[in-house]
Amino acid sequence: MNAACVGGDEDRATGPELSLQELMEHPYWQPLDPALHALVEQVPTIIEKYERTTILSWIYLAQGVMPFVEVSDRIHGPESVTLRKKSLRRILRSMERLCLISIVNFPDEDGGTVDDGEDLIGRTSMISLNWTGMVWMRRAWGARSKMVKGNNVRAVHDLFTEEEDEGKGNDPCWVENLEGADPEAAREQIRQQHTRSSPITSVFDLALPRR
């Protein structure tokens, strides 16, 4: 995992040396509020575009860990399978740089190791939610919950994912610049943000308590 990524109290390195059992005992995954969890369960299981919140939601519903091949199988589109996987690898690497996920490659069936590298995310790779990924989930679905009353969950989700992924920006400004900060400093930033009234500048701001 990128050393700049922020973790919680149970920070733990993830890398090729991590066993599958250790990875499945996920240090960051936590169930969302039941009302939010019920909304997440309504995300589409098949998509044609590479939506970060949808991908994170799939991993969340798998309790924080999901094989790359399972994520890949859920994305359909006009491209060939090869092009779809190549595009997905690029999206996952950008999400990894944002500290939303970790990507761990396990040995293949013959026991051979897999070297780290962008083109080597494949059948032995597992995708794991990071602490910041859980922050994204709480904020994204908190925002959706404020808009979904009387509306179709899928329609609201589609509308929000379009804005969240607009421009494919790599600066997660909605997380109050959490990456690179120590966990307590990051939590203090969140507490301050929650206690002041500020203009809504993104869909994620909808999830913040307003005074």
Side-chain angles (χ1 to χ4, degrees), residues 32-193:
L32 297 175
D33 176 87
L36 294 186
H37 184 91
L39 295 179
V40 178
E41 289 182 317
Q42 298 185 55
V43 296
T45 56
I46 299 294
I47 58 176
E48 294 190 0
K49 297 184 294 183
Y50 304 90
E51 302 165 354
R52 288 179 289 186
T53 297
T54 301
I55 293 173
L56 290 173
S57 297
W58 291 340
I59 301 171
Y60 164 81
L61 290 172
Q63 295 194 326
V65 182
M66 197 170 188
F68 167 77
V69 291
E70 187 172 340
V71 176
S72 177
D73 287 345
R74 293 184 177 206
I75 299 177
H76 297 180
E79 309 103 324
S80 68
V81 173
T82 300
L83 287 177
R84 287 204 301 270
K85 288 185 176 181
K86 183 177 181 180
S87 297
L88 177 58
R89 289 184 181 103
R90 185 170 62 250
I91 293 297
L92 291 175
R93 286 300 183 191
S94 72
M95 292 170 67
E96 185 181 44
R97 287 192 294 274
L98 293 176
C99 301
L100 301 175
I101 60 171
S102 290
I103 302 170
V104 180
N105 290 326
F106 286 90
D108 59 26
E109 295 176 356
D110 298 325
T113 59
V114 179
D115 294 327
D116 190 24
E118 183 169 353
D119 295 327
L120 294 177
I121 305 175
R123 58 185 176 81
T124 65
S125 302
M126 300 290 285
I127 316 301
S128 174
L129 275 181
N130 280 345
W131 182 77
T132 312
M134 283 301 304
V135 173
W136 177 299
M137 285 292 295
R138 292 189 187 94
R139 292 287 289 277
W141 284 98
R144 284 158 172 74
S145 71
K146 293 181 179 294
M147 298 292 291
V148 80
K149 296 173 183 177
N151 296 305
N152 181 285
V153 176
R154 293 282 187 91
V156 172
H157 178 64
D158 289 345
L159 178 65
F160 279 27
T161 52
E162 184 176 348
E163 180 176 337
E164 291 158 0
D165 292 338
E166 184 178 5
K168 305 298 181 187
N170 287 328
D171 180 19
C173 55
W174 52 270
V175 228
E176 288 81 51
N177 297 319
L178 298 187
E179 69 275 19
D182 67 84
E184 184 51 42
R187 281 190 282 270
E188 179 58 29
Q189 282 186 298
I190 293 174
R191 285 193 290 268
Q192 292 176 2
Q193 181 71 16

Side-chain angles (χ1 to χ4, degrees), residues 1-51:
M1 184 176 67
N2 188 329
C5 292
V6 177
D9 296 331
E10 301 87 8
D11 274 3
R12 183 172 67 185
T14 56
E17 76 281 358
L18 196 66
S19 73
L20 181 59
Q21 181 60 36
E22 287 175 316
L23 186 65
M24 297 304 289
E25 295 170 357
H26 199 277
Y28 304 122
W29 182 89
Q30 293 179 341
L32 297 175
D33 176 87
L36 294 186
H37 184 91
L39 295 179
V40 178
E41 289 182 317
Q42 298 185 55
V43 296
T45 56
I46 299 294
I47 58 176
E48 294 190 0
K49 297 184 294 183
Y50 304 90
E51 302 165 354

